[in-house]
Amino acid sequence: MTTDSDTPWLTDQEQRAWRTHLDVSRLLMHQLERDLQPFGLTNNDYEILVNLSEAEDHRLRMSDLATSTLQSKSRLSHQITRMENAGLVRRESCESDRRGLYAVLTEEGWDTMRRVAPHHVASVRKHFIDLFPAEDLQAFRTSLTPVAEHLRKERGGL
């Protein structure tokens, strides 16, 4: 590899930390996705269900949902269409903005969320939370908070 002397290359320790983060991120998301498969859900489906279940009246403007799930409006629209076909969500017009649409959690979506959430939490515990001593979890959160805040600012303040 050709090196540029002005490039602040990662040290061995930094490189190992970075690659460990990448491995854990990919492996964990893959495992969580596998654990959602018996319910016919993807990680994206579950994230949308969570966002809608926590929203007032179980509804969010599509643009806000796209922002909170880090999806393009087009990609989210396709995702919502699939979830509509499964009976989990529906679209509703926005009274105050004729061009705006809401994604709304259906009863079936709410029932699915209540049924799947305990299994998802168990998966998160098994494959992540319970592998850390409690004091390390706080240190982990403290360490990652500046990264999350920086990336939110870069994205425009999510």
Side-chain angles (χ1 to χ4, degrees):
M1 164 171 71
T2 304
T3 61
D4 178 348
S5 62
D6 292 336
T7 301
W9 296 106
L10 300 179
T11 65
D12 286 343
Q13 180 180 353
E14 291 168 337
Q15 184 73 265
R16 285 191 306 273
W18 173 243
R19 288 187 178 178
T20 299
H21 161 72
L22 291 176
D23 285 347
V24 167
S25 294
R26 284 190 296 258
L27 290 165
L28 181 59
M29 295 315 292
H30 176 77
Q31 184 62 51
L32 294 176
E33 182 100 22
R34 283 185 63 195
D35 291 349
L36 287 170
Q37 284 176 350
F39 301 99
L41 298 175
T42 66
N43 283 329
N44 285 339
D45 295 334
Y46 189 78
E47 182 180 17
I48 289 168
L49 291 176
V50 167
N51 274 272
L52 293 175
S53 73
E54 293 175 348
E56 186 176 339
D57 297 325
H58 295 176
R59 65 188 334 201
L60 285 170
R61 289 182 64 102
M62 291 283 286
S63 57
D64 294 336
L65 186 57
T67 299
S68 67
T69 59
L70 301 178
Q71 295 187 53
S72 69
K73 290 177 186 177
S74 172
R75 183 167 188 249
L76 178 66
S77 180
H78 290 295
Q79 179 78 32
I80 292 297
T81 296
R82 287 190 297 276
M83 293 178 76
E84 274 184 308
N85 291 338
L88 301 172
V89 299
R90 69 177 180 275
R91 286 181 173 101
E92 287 183 359
S93 298
C94 178
E95 297 288 326
S96 62
D97 176 5
R98 293 192 188 271
R99 295 180 321 179
L101 289 173
Y102 285 102
V104 182
L105 192 64
T106 64
E107 269 309 307
E108 185 174 343
W110 178 239
D111 291 344
T112 298
M113 186 67 206
R114 288 192 316 230
R115 187 176 82 257
V116 175
H119 296 280
H120 181 70
V121 169
S123 180
V124 169
R125 283 197 164 285
K126 177 181 179 181
H127 303 297
F128 187 76
I129 298 295
D130 291 347
L131 301 175
F132 289 95
E135 62 276 6
D136 288 354
L137 267 178
Q138 181 56 45
F140 183 74
R141 180 174 178 253
T142 299
S143 296
L144 288 181
T145 296
V147 176
E149 289 172 355
H150 165 77
L151 293 171
R152 279 190 195 99
K153 284 180 190 169
E154 288 289 313
R155 183 145 168 94
L158 290 178

